[in-house]
Amino acid sequence: YADTAMYQVKEKGRDSIEFFNEEMADKVSRQLVMEGDLHRALEEGQFELYYQPKMDVISSRVVGAEALLRWKHPTKGMVSPVDFIPVLETSGMIIDVGQWVLEDACKTLVKWSEQGLWHEGMKLSINISPRQFRRAAFVQDVIDTIERFPIPPNSLDMEITEGIVIQRVEDAIATMTLLSDKGISFSLDDFGTGYSSISYLKRLPVSTLKIDQGFVRDIIVDRNDRVLVETIITMGNLLDMELVAEGVEEAEQLAILKAFGCHFYQGYLFSMPVELAVFESILRTDQQRILEPA
Ligand code: C2E
Ligand code: MG
Ligand code: MG
Ligand code: MG
């Protein structure tokens, strides 16, 4: 196969080889520049967590939030995690940045509980990269961190993807079990896009399935997606798991999800991910609603 590729390159002549090299060199140099910028970002406090409310489908109350990483670049403005998380992962910097995310989330949980904004049963989810999760010291580092911050019991949730689990199921179960014992729950993120084998699902200490937004997006127009979403919800309910639909933008999507038996949702329909102060005002408003029901 490699010989064939080489042959094709040769056929096209020297120009194409140089073009190919230049393009690769360009990519590598852009990556290196970004790595430098990301190091500085961590040192200079350019990272910030945004919060997207997680809503109860039936009562429309806030049941928690997902913390999503933002990079406020001094000249480029807000950089999307889609653009820099892969660089953090390949460079290994995700370990330090992931630790920052965990600590910042814990600090915020402590503050919210002190201010009476966080109630029993509410959960803050953070996203965990494969590289973080598979590290031998991951469990101990997390335990050390949550012991330094007196977070409310059972208030922290970790979102991982199926890919993390499938490669080394036994190791994943061991890691998750140790952390579950400390009150941390687990959600499977982007569910439906991976392998989704029911046999291993049953064995994992996972409490929540997050239905990928790709399926939710076309739930009204695409019958296949609708059937798939209904199947995931039915299966999740049979396995006693909580179901969160991601990327809900329209009331009609929410109505379908509700009819299928989905419990929770996140999406622009209620709120985009917002900065800390804005999320806190959402929490206050939500509490006001219980004290003074309409
Ligand atoms: P994710 O964990 O699947 O997060 C959901 C993404 O969907 C977020 O994108 C969120 O802003 C977006 N979203 C939420 N509601 C809607 C909606 O109604 N419509 C649309 N079109 N999009 C919606 P975001 O914040 O850009 O994050 C992208 C991905 O970056 C995340 O996907 C996650 O995989 C990764 N990520 C974000 N923060 C962290 C972090 O702290 N650590 C790690 N390892 N990964 C992170
Ligand atoms: Mg997530
Ligand atoms: Mg997701
Ligand atoms: Mg995603």
Side-chain angles (χ1 to χ4, degrees):
Y1 182 72
D3 286 351
T4 320
M6 201 53 209
Y7 177 73
Q8 281 168 351
V9 171
K10 275 185 193 153
E11 279 285 271
K12 282 190 204 151
R14 260 202 82 70
D15 285 352
S16 67
I17 295 174
E18 268 159 28
F19 173 73
F20 177 68
N21 284 343
E22 232 170 77
E23 201 180 15
M24 270 180 53
D26 203 52
K27 201 181 159 200
V28 170
S29 87
R30 263 183 290 134
Q31 164 122 359
L32 285 175
V33 169
M34 198 189 235
E35 276 184 37
D37 286 354
L38 285 163
H39 268 295
R40 212 160 315 120
L42 190 58
E43 278 162 20
E44 295 178 5
Q46 294 165 12
F47 288 120
E48 192 173 323
L49 289 181
Y50 270 38
Y51 299 88
Q52 185 175 41
K54 203 174 285 179
M55 309 300 295
D56 184 313
V57 163
I58 308 277
S59 68
S60 299
R61 300 241 6 245
V62 180
V63 294
E66 177 175 5
L68 292 153
L69 189 59
R70 296 291 180 264
W71 177 17
K72 285 186 169 164
H73 191 283
T75 54
K76 295 194 181 92
M78 203 64 102
V79 184
S80 164
V82 179
D83 296 322
F84 68 84
I85 297 274
V87 179
L88 291 178
E89 278 173 1
T90 50
S91 66
M93 258 185 282
I94 193 68
I95 306 302
D96 290 339
V97 176
Q99 177 62 26
W100 178 86
V101 169
L102 174 65
E103 284 182 25
D104 202 62
C106 287
K107 253 179 243 171
T108 300
L109 274 172
V110 171
K111 178 186 165 205
W112 286 340
S113 82
E114 282 169 2
Q115 295 182 349
L117 290 173
W118 208 248
H119 300 289
E120 215 188 301
M122 288 173 89
K123 277 182 193 292
L124 179 62
S125 301
I126 60 173
N127 291 282
I128 304 293
S129 279
R131 208 156 161 184
Q132 273 177 284
F133 185 87
R134 293 200 191 109
R135 223 171 111 252
F138 178 65
V139 170
Q140 198 52 51
D141 284 356
V142 171
I143 293 174
D144 290 347
T145 306
I146 60 174
E147 280 171 359
R148 273 194 290 132
F149 298 93
I151 60 169
N154 308 314
S155 59
L156 190 64
D157 180 76
M158 291 183 167
E159 298 190 3
I160 59 173
T161 49
E162 291 166 85
I164 289 188
V165 171
I166 202 89
Q167 288 183 357
R168 305 178 75 166
V169 183
E170 301 309 325
D171 289 353
I173 292 175
T175 298
M176 293 163 83
T177 305
L178 289 168
L179 292 176
S180 300
D181 290 345
K182 297 286 172 184
I184 294 173
S185 61
F186 286 89
S187 299
L188 281 185
D189 206 354
D190 307 336
F191 192 77
T193 58
Y195 308 84
S196 314
S197 148
I198 301 177
S199 63
Y200 83 77
L201 250 194
K202 191 88 193 89
R203 298 178 51 214
L204 293 177
V206 162
S207 58
T208 304
L209 301 181
K210 297 194 76 176
I211 306 163
D212 190 71
Q213 60 186 65
F215 304 119
V216 175
R217 191 190 312 124
D218 296 330
I219 198 174
I220 301 163
V221 291
D222 188 328
R223 189 178 170 276
N224 288 335
D225 283 356
R226 198 159 55 240
V227 169
L228 188 80
V229 168
E230 185 174 18
T231 305
I232 293 173
I233 293 171
T234 306
M235 179 191 70
N237 278 326
L238 285 171
L239 294 173
D240 276 329
M241 289 174 149
E242 288 184 345
L243 292 144
V244 179
E246 299 185 310
V248 179
E249 296 184 356
E250 294 164 37
E252 204 179 334
Q253 293 168 331
L254 182 61
I256 294 173
L257 291 161
K258 203 191 278 190
F260 286 166
C262 180
H263 311 125
F264 307 111
Y265 77 96
Q266 285 174 239
Y268 298 169
L269 176 66
F270 182 75
S271 172
M272 295 181 77
V274 290
E275 56 183 302
L276 180 71
V278 176
F279 181 67
E280 289 174 348
S281 72
I282 291 174
L283 285 178
R284 284 196 197 92
T285 312
D286 193 60
Q287 292 182 0
Q288 206 58 31
R289 280 203 303 137
I290 335 166
L291 298 173
E292 300 160 19

